[in-house]
């Protein structure tokens, strides 16, 4: 009799562990991917502002010359704008991102995270593009 009870307890324990969560859910993995895309470029936020200042200084320097190269001035001003816009885009994304899942079904959460992945990927590309443009122009 004791063996039967022990066997049933042991079998129940194995069954419960087999049916329980086996790791992170798909939504948890998706959230981790969203954060990874964010984390890839977030450390470059200070660099964006530094390069923006350099671009504006270069534009001002070119404007102060006797023969003003208006095309070059506009290139540096456009670069400064792009760097500032990329910086602001990251802050805008971070301010609207919700880390709490309260009140959302699994399907709603998945849809939300997929949308966030699209948005943060766009910010990621915008930042990388602006930094590459600055690297080319501010050599």
């Amino acid at each position: 009799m004791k063996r039967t009870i022990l066997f049933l307890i042991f079998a129940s324990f194995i069954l419960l562990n087999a049916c329980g969560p086996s790791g992170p859910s798909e939504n948890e993995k998706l959230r981790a991917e969203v954060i990874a895309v964010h984390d890839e470029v977030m450390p470059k936020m200070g660099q964006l502002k530094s390069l923006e200042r350099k671009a504006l200084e270069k534009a001002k320097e070119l404007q102060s010359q006797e023969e003003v190269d208006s095309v070059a001035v506009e290139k540096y001003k456009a670069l400064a704008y792009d760097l500032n816009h990329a910086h602001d885009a990251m802050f805008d994304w971070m301010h609207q991102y919700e880390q709490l899942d309260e009140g959302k079904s699994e399907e709603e959460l998945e849809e939300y995270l997929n949308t966030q992945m699209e948005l943060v990927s766009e910010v990621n590309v915008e930042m990388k593009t602006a930094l590459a443009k600055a690297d080319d122009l501010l050599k």
Side-chain angles (χ1 to χ4, degrees):
M1 180 73 166
K2 284 185 181 181
R3 282 186 179 176
T4 305
I5 292 173
L6 286 174
F7 176 76
L8 289 174
I9 291 172
F10 182 69
S12 297
F13 178 74
I14 294 208
L15 182 63
L16 288 174
N17 279 338
C19 295
S22 59
S25 71
E26 289 302 313
N27 284 337
E28 289 170 340
K29 290 177 187 176
L30 185 54
R31 183 178 300 281
E33 290 172 20
V34 168
I35 297 303
V37 172
H38 161 270
D39 289 350
E40 180 182 351
V41 291
M42 183 61 192
K44 299 178 188 295
M45 292 290 284
Q47 188 179 5
L48 288 172
K49 282 302 191 185
S50 175
L51 292 170
E52 178 188 1
R53 282 189 296 276
K54 286 181 183 178
L56 290 172
E57 287 170 5
K58 186 68 175 171
K60 187 176 180 180
E61 176 187 317
L62 289 172
Q63 283 180 319
S64 68
Q65 295 177 350
E66 281 187 33
E67 290 186 34
V68 177
D69 183 355
S70 59
V71 173
V73 169
E74 287 308 311
K75 280 184 184 179
Y76 285 104
K77 285 183 176 181
L79 172 61
Y81 173 84
D82 291 346
L83 291 163
N84 183 59
H85 192 270
H87 184 270
D88 289 348
M90 175 58 87
F91 272 110
D92 290 345
W93 179 81
M94 289 188 306
H95 286 252
Q96 62 81 44
Y97 180 72
E98 299 172 5
Q99 290 189 347
L100 300 177
D101 305 334
E102 295 173 4
K104 292 183 180 136
S105 69
E106 287 297 311
E107 293 80 23
E108 290 171 330
L109 181 57
E110 181 181 7
E111 184 178 327
Y112 173 77
L113 291 171
N114 282 325
T115 300
Q116 292 305 308
M117 179 59 91
E118 290 174 24
L119 294 173
V120 77
S121 294
E122 289 172 10
V123 170
N124 183 299
V125 168
E126 183 176 352
M127 286 181 69
K128 287 178 181 177
T129 301
L131 288 168
K133 186 176 174 183
D135 189 44
D136 287 344
L137 201 55
L138 295 173
K139 289 181 189 178

